[in-house]
Amino acid sequence: ELGSYDCYMMKEIEEQPAVMRKIVSAYTTENGQVAIDERIISSLLASDRIYIIACGTSWHAGLIGKNLLEKLAEIPTEVHLSSEFGYHTPLLSEKPFFIYLSQSGETADSRQVLVQTNKWAYPSLTITNVLGSTLSREASFTLPLYAGPEIAVASTKAYTAQIAVLSILASVVGRAKKIMAAETFDVASELSLAAHQMDTLLTKQGKYQDLVEKMLKQTRNAFFIGRGADYSVSLEGALKLKEISYLQCEGFASGELKHGTIALIEERTPVFALITGQSTHLQTRSNLKEVESRGAATCAIVMEDLAQEGDDIILPKVHELFTPLMSVLPTQLIAYYTALMKGNNVDKPRNLAKSVTVE
Ligand code: M6R
């Protein structure tokens, strides 16, 4: 199954463009339009608020999903950690709709919430890679991720697949509601473009080994910073790095640095900045300057049209709603090459299981 790869994580990272294409084709009907089961759409149209419930990387994908659902479908959306929701249930709206995001479909923390929302008889949708999994069987509806088996403990292709499926869902609901943002957004062609651009980015892996040697060899900690969607991807990049490199790593909203975190910056502290947002790039750049002037070793990961001389990793241009599909790739590669440099088991990091079936 591994073919020419040494480990599943790299295989799965490189499968992502193909997964995007698979999702587009699986959700396209004979008339050439993307479509979602009518019953799911009616149930969503009848709801007044979406609650996304997930853990870990799936929760990070949910943060991007919130943006897609609010922008394209104009449905207020909250994203909750399963392990928190179960014990600190928020005040719910009148007509909630629950989306369970889970690669495995077996995560106990999420299942515990689903059991509860089923008792309350609220409609639910599981978006999962494993049809027939517990979360899929117990929810009202299921949408498959079509990512193919994900073996490496560090989740990669499930994250981008979750974003892609959520974007199709948001766009179909938005069109049903005649929301302008959805009507002018051709989700299938934007996803296909993203797949193409992901391919381009993934062929350029030459610099990562040097980059991680330079930035992460002599350190115990590292930071990812960004704003908006870049902040959400920073959280995911940090999780991936800590999970397989064992470095202490945090994702921060870059505007928050000056409210405390900047005290941690010392000579050579590694800071990776994600800069893809049209409305936030100047602010994040200025945050990057602030940490640089305090001695940080920095790496700027920047969308093509915002790039400046000296930026380290340039992301080929995609639709602004899809920048996370691009910016997450360098963070996955940074984690992978760091784990490799440290001689860690890339696919099976210590203390972790692929699927967390206990609370
Ligand atoms: O199978 P799930 O998507 O429900 O799993 C959720 C988390 O356990 C999972 O994403 C975990 O955080 C990954 N190992 C991160 O790479």
Side-chain angles (χ1 to χ4, degrees):
E1 260 200 37
L2 264 177
S4 57
Y5 290 95
D6 294 331
C7 65
Y8 283 101
M9 185 180 178
M10 180 50 82
K11 177 172 181 276
E12 291 162 5
I13 288 175
E14 295 204 333
E15 279 171 355
Q16 290 175 103
V19 171
M20 296 298 104
R21 294 186 183 104
K22 170 90 205 220
I23 290 169
V24 171
S25 93
Y27 283 98
T28 300
T29 53
E30 282 157 7
N31 66 8
Q33 299 290 318
V34 290
I36 299 279
D37 184 340
E38 271 301 324
R39 293 168 310 149
I40 301 178
I41 303 304
S42 327
S43 188
L44 270 165
L45 290 175
S47 74
D48 61 0
R49 186 170 286 257
I50 295 171
Y51 294 83
I52 296 180
I53 309 290
C55 308
T57 288
S58 295
W59 182 72
H60 295 151
L63 299 176
I64 308 299
K66 167 186 165 72
N67 186 43
L68 293 162
L69 287 159
E70 292 190 338
K71 293 249 165 65
L72 295 171
E74 292 187 2
I75 306 179
T77 302
E78 295 180 20
V79 193
H80 291 273
L81 290 167
S82 315
S83 54
E84 284 295 308
F85 191 100
Y87 298 95
H88 304 100
T89 312
L91 188 63
L92 298 177
S93 68
E94 234 169 85
K95 292 175 191 155
F97 183 96
F98 284 83
I99 297 182
Y100 291 87
L101 278 185
S102 175
Q103 189 284 132
S104 63
E106 298 298 344
T107 300
D109 291 313
S110 302
R111 177 161 184 252
Q112 193 236 346
V113 182
L114 178 56
V115 167
Q116 185 58 56
T117 58
N118 276 348
K119 276 194 196 136
W120 292 327
Y122 290 138
S124 54
L125 161 68
T126 291
I127 302 182
T128 182
N129 211 15
V130 186
L131 287 180
S133 57
T134 310
L135 285 167
S136 146
R137 280 186 279 109
E138 294 182 354
S140 331
F141 312 107
T142 297
L143 288 177
L145 287 176
Y146 296 110
E150 191 182 64
I151 310 291
V153 166
S155 183
T156 53
K157 61 179 178 172
Y159 174 83
T160 43
Q162 282 164 338
I163 293 174
V165 172
L166 283 163
S167 74
I168 292 175
L169 179 67
S171 142
V172 173
V173 177
R175 282 181 178 231
K177 286 176 74 178
K178 302 207 181 312
I179 306 286
M180 175 79 90
E183 290 189 315
T184 54
F185 180 66
D186 182 348
V187 68
S189 68
E190 296 298 349
L191 275 175
S192 306
L193 171 68
H196 173 78
Q197 302 293 53
M198 286 167 126
D199 264 330
T200 310
L201 187 58
L202 288 170
T203 55
K204 295 184 189 146
Q205 290 186 33
K207 58 167 64 165
Y208 288 90
Q209 226 162 329
D210 279 355
L211 181 79
V212 302
E213 289 260 340
K214 200 175 80 191
M215 290 193 60
L216 298 172
K217 196 160 189 180
Q218 312 287 350
T219 185
R220 285 284 306 140
N221 62 359
F223 301 100
F224 282 87
I225 62 168
R227 290 171 182 244
D230 291 333
Y231 167 45
S232 303
V233 178
S234 292
L235 295 175
E236 170 57 11
L239 174 61
K240 213 90 317 168
L241 189 60
K242 53 190 136 181
E243 192 174 19
I244 61 169
S245 78
Y246 315 145
L247 290 176
Q248 201 247 326
C249 181
E250 302 304 331
F252 286 111
S254 63
E256 279 292 292
L257 281 168
K258 60 181 172 300
H259 298 290
T261 316
I262 202 161
L264 292 170
I265 303 296
E266 301 176 336
E267 207 53 45
R268 308 277 330 137
T269 302
V271 178
F272 297 89
L274 304 183
I275 305 179
T276 72
Q278 296 291 338
S279 60
T280 54
H281 66 110
L282 295 173
Q283 288 83 348
T284 306
R285 278 209 190 269
S286 109
N287 300 132
L288 194 59
K289 285 257 159 359
E290 283 156 16
V291 294
E292 251 165 21
S293 70
R294 285 156 179 91
T298 60
C299 168
I301 300 170
V302 187
M303 191 49 68
E304 197 168 57
D305 55 343
L306 303 173
Q308 294 178 3
E309 186 80 23
D311 287 342
D312 304 272
I313 296 170
I314 310 296
L315 306 169
K317 181 79 183 141
V318 292
H319 190 284
E320 187 154 23
L321 287 173
F322 282 151
T323 59
L325 296 178
M326 301 306 294
S327 57
V328 78
L329 301 184
T331 73
Q332 296 170 347
L333 293 169
I334 288 164
Y336 168 85
Y337 283 104
T338 308
L340 216 58
M341 171 180 76
K342 296 189 149 244
N344 296 349
N345 186 330
V346 172
D347 285 341
K348 291 199 173 81
R350 67 187 182 200
N351 309 338
L352 287 166
K354 178 64 184 161
S355 152
V356 185
T357 52
V358 288
E359 255 190 67

